[in-house]
Each structure stands twice: as structure tokens, then as C-alpha cells.
Amino acid sequence: CGAWVMNPLRRTQGFTLLELLIGMTLVGFILTLLFAGLSLGMRSWDAGEQRMVTSSRQAVIVDFIRRTLEQTYPLHWRVDNEDQLAFAGETDSLRFVGPVAIHDGASCNHLIALDQVEGDGGRELVMRWKMPDPRAPGFGSLEEAKPKVLVKAIKGMTFSYFGAENDTDEPTWHDQWLHQKAPPELIRLQLIMENGETWPDIVAATPIRTE
């Protein structure tokens, strides 16, 4: 009978201080794990979103440069009584003629330059364009044009040109394309970023046209 009387009394007792401390510690530990997991998930989400934005912007720039190069126009002008092609391809720069949109979707041929320059945050790929002046053949007027930044924080950029320099040679890749009668068959641009990332090669096939 004595044991039967004590059991109800024990059931009505609350938790001891030690039990409360253990319970609060466990709850705190569980909450810490939950918040750590939530924080990690948020950081992963933000990083993934940033990669998507960067990848989308990269795709837009790559497509823009490729389409611009694919519309290279084989303009010829007279310089020192010689017929010269308006195309000057170097390893780290390119001068050519191609269409640039002006307004309402209309476009016309401009002198275009792609260069690597030093910017505020490091080296940048910039584009400049200007209407050609028939009275002043050459790319000199491009120096006055305002540059438009296409890619920032680049470590290096390399142009190369595929084609045959004369009728007897087989087409191959060249570091320069200067004083030729026609544009190269292909133009390739390789970009390496400051963070070590290598962009996919931008390869454009120039149209085969004659004036």
C-alpha cells in the first residue's frame, strides 16, 4: 500500500533543474543545426543565382561579339594610290568594317575597333565605332570614338585568323592578318579572366563577299 501511495506523488512532481538544463541544451543544439543549415542553403542559393546571372551575361556578350565579327564587310579604300582592304588584325586588337545599329533597328557600316585597355578595375575588352569618312581613309578616326566596355577584369585576350595569305598557301591559323586582299575565313577570340576562368572560344565565319 505504501508504494501505491508514493507513485501518484512522483507523477505530480515537475522536472528537476538538471533535466531542464539538459532539455534547453538539446533544444539550443537543434536550433543551431537548423539555422546553420538554413544559412548554408541561402548561401548556396545566392551563389547559384550569381553563377546563373554571370553565365547569362557571358552568353549575351559572346553572341554579340560573334555576330559582329560574322558581319565583317570587305570595304576597300585608296591609300597612297593603292587599293587596300579595311581590315587590320593583330594578336591583341582588331580593326574592321561592319554594321552597327543606329536607331529604330536600322544599321549601317561603321569602322569598328576591338581592343584591350587598362580600366579602373583592371584590363578590359572595349569596342569603339565611328562612321567612315570617304575623304580620310584609315582607322585613325576611331581614336576619337568613345569606348564601350564589353568585358571587365580580363587577364588576356588573343585574336587569331584562319585563311590562306596567298593563292599558293593552304589555309591555316595566323597571329596577324594585315595588308590582305580579303578578310580571313575565320576570326577567333580567346579570353582569360583575372579569376582564372577561360571563356569558350568565340569563332566567327566572315561572309564571302566582293564589292
Side-chain angles (χ1 to χ4, degrees), residues 101-172:
I102 45 178
H103 58 80
D104 298 331
S107 63
C108 62
N109 283 328
H110 284 64
L111 306 178
I112 300 175
L114 293 172
D115 291 295
Q116 177 181 265
V117 302
E118 287 292 337
D120 296 335
R123 281 179 284 187
E124 302 170 339
L125 169 59
V126 301
M127 176 178 171
R128 288 173 291 163
W129 60 93
K130 192 174 182 65
M131 287 286 292
D133 184 353
R135 298 167 298 177
F139 292 107
S141 61
L142 279 170
E143 301 301 324
E144 306 168 1
K146 184 178 180 180
K148 172 68 175 180
V149 178
L150 298 181
V151 187
K152 295 182 177 180
I154 62 174
K155 184 177 181 180
M157 54 177 270
T158 304
F159 282 104
S160 49
Y161 313 91
F162 183 84
E165 293 185 320
N166 55 62
D167 296 336
T168 60
D169 291 343
E170 291 293 327
T172 187

Side-chain angles (χ1 to χ4, degrees), residues 38 76 85 98 129 132 142 167 191 203:
L38 179 61
H76 288 78
L85 174 69
W129 60 93
L142 279 170
D167 296 336
L191 288 170
V203 180

